Amino acid sequence: SHGVRDVCSVAFLPPPKKNKGKESGGNLAALVTGHPDGSLLVWRGGAAVQKIESAHGRGARAIQPDGSVAWGGGVRAMRLRLGSEPGDHGATLVTGGADGALAQWAVVDGTLAGKITEPLVLAESSRSRPGVAFSNASAAGVRAIDVVPGTDRVVVGASRCELWDVDLHPERETARVLMRGHGASLRAVCWHPSDPDRFYTACASGAVHAWDAARTAMTRRCALAFAATCIAVGGDAARDTQTHVAVGGEDGEVLVLTESSFEVVFAAKDARGAGAEDLKFSPDGGSRLAVTYRDGKVEVFRRNAADSKGPRYEKMARFKGHS
């Protein structure tokens, strides 16, 4: 009666107290399943006995090869949280969906009795700098949940490769990011030219991350308007040359950012859209930047003085010879 749908997540519910210890009457414990459209189904005795519509957002809309519509995400994770007091048989079900929210459901007499509090959305405030779009305030979809037994603490894995530490206590509800990662194919990595503990990565979703290897932590990030294919870092602190981070894109984009704040200092794009395959700063402190493209050519850009009134980088040569 509820239709056929994919199951994205599942959890057992405690059996009703009145039937505890008795095997008559079929299955005593119930199952809860989460589905791509954001709904929940409660199962008992081999049948779905309850449906909760719009428990979470449906996620991104996608057209399948056969023309049918599917929703990417829905309720991707759930975890039963038992009562924290000794002898307390109460329980709540924590669910997470593609809408980036965590919801708590009261479990009463072996079934779901409704939401306990308003959903907690895992989203960070947006920031912006000229020329660079930082991660926006939209929520990342919840992909995995675990609960620290006997506490209100929940650890959440998100679709953008973020790991969150969440306190669901209604009087101190908080959420903070423990670790971040890339949410798409990671194509490029480069060490800092003078600091052995710093390195930079860029991925197909257009994100650039700065990392501290000693602390195994991400220190900065920014989002680009293109899919990144390569990255390089150049500069010479001994010569008072500001360190720059150069990123190449799959449609021939070249973007140069300051290492300290990810401010854009130069942007260019190949006229024919040939993807940037690789780029390197010259070993003299980054006075030049060489870029190779998918059509076989190599371009070299000269870095001008910081007080130059013209472009910070200008093209000085183009080489053709590779097929």
Side-chain angles (χ1 to χ4, degrees):
S1 61
H2 298 301
V4 178
R5 62 198 68 224
D6 289 338
V7 175
C8 301
S9 54
V10 63
F12 278 103
L13 296 181
K17 293 181 181 179
K18 60 183 179 181
N19 292 330
K20 192 174 182 180
K22 297 181 181 179
E23 295 299 329
S24 60
N27 294 358
L28 300 180
L31 282 173
V32 179
T33 53
H35 303 278
D37 63 353
S39 66
L40 298 174
L41 287 178
V42 180
W43 301 73
R44 183 176 287 109
V49 297
Q50 180 186 8
K51 182 179 182 181
I52 300 175
E53 298 275 7
S54 303
H56 286 276
R58 295 184 293 185
R61 183 176 182 267
I63 304 298
Q64 301 301 299
D66 62 357
S68 62
V69 177
W71 303 95
V75 186
R76 295 294 298 269
M78 59 178 66
R79 196 74 167 179
L80 184 68
R81 186 161 64 99
L82 300 176
S84 58
E85 298 297 328
D88 182 7
H89 298 291
T92 58
L93 182 71
V94 181
T95 61
D99 53 3
L102 291 179
Q104 297 186 78
W105 305 82
V107 180
V108 179
D109 201 25
T111 191
L112 296 184
K115 291 182 181 179
I116 297 176
T117 59
E118 288 298 314
L120 172 65
V121 179
L122 304 181
E124 297 179 280
S125 60
S126 61
R127 298 181 296 165
S128 62
R129 292 183 183 274
V132 178
F134 278 79
S135 57
N136 56 34
S138 63
V142 175
R143 300 292 293 272
I145 296 174
D146 203 0
V147 177
V148 180
T151 72
D152 295 304
R153 189 179 179 190
V154 177
V155 180
V156 180
S159 59
R160 294 175 184 166
C161 292
E162 296 172 343
L163 190 63
W164 293 75
D165 183 5
V166 182
D167 191 337
L168 290 177
H169 193 283
E171 296 180 0
R172 56 175 186 272
E173 193 175 77
T174 57
R176 67 185 182 95
V177 177
L178 294 174
M179 178 60 73
R180 295 184 179 92
H182 287 288
S185 177
L186 182 54
R187 302 179 178 180
V189 60
C190 183
W191 286 102
H192 190 278
S194 59
D195 187 342
D197 285 330
R198 251 187 292 170
F199 66 97
Y200 299 81
T201 55
C203 77
S205 65
V208 175
H209 289 187
W211 301 86
D212 186 321
R215 296 189 293 118
T216 61
M218 195 194 73
T219 58
R220 281 189 311 283
R221 62 175 172 170
C222 74
L224 309 175
F226 56 86
T229 56
C230 47
I231 191 170
V233 184
D236 189 348
R239 302 181 187 182
D240 196 27
T241 303
Q242 187 182 41
T243 305
H244 286 173
V245 178
V247 185
E250 64 180 13
D251 290 326
E253 301 92 344
V254 176
L255 190 68
V256 182
L257 314 167
T258 60
E259 181 267 340
S260 57
S261 61
F262 284 157
E263 179 185 356
V264 176
V265 297
F266 175 72
K269 185 175 181 179
D270 182 73
R272 297 185 178 181
E277 290 273 280
D278 197 9
L279 38 77
K280 291 288 188 296
F281 282 99
S282 56
D284 62 350
S287 65
R288 291 166 172 79
L289 174 67
V291 184
T292 66
Y293 296 89
R294 199 162 295 143
D295 61 0
K297 68 176 177 289
V298 182
E299 292 184 337
V300 180
F301 297 86
R302 178 191 293 115
R303 176 174 174 173
N304 295 322
D307 57 355
S308 172
K309 295 182 180 180
R312 296 289 289 274
Y313 284 78
E314 60 180 352
K315 188 183 300 183
M316 61 177 293
R318 173 181 291 178
F319 299 94
K320 295 181 180 180
H322 293 288
S323 54

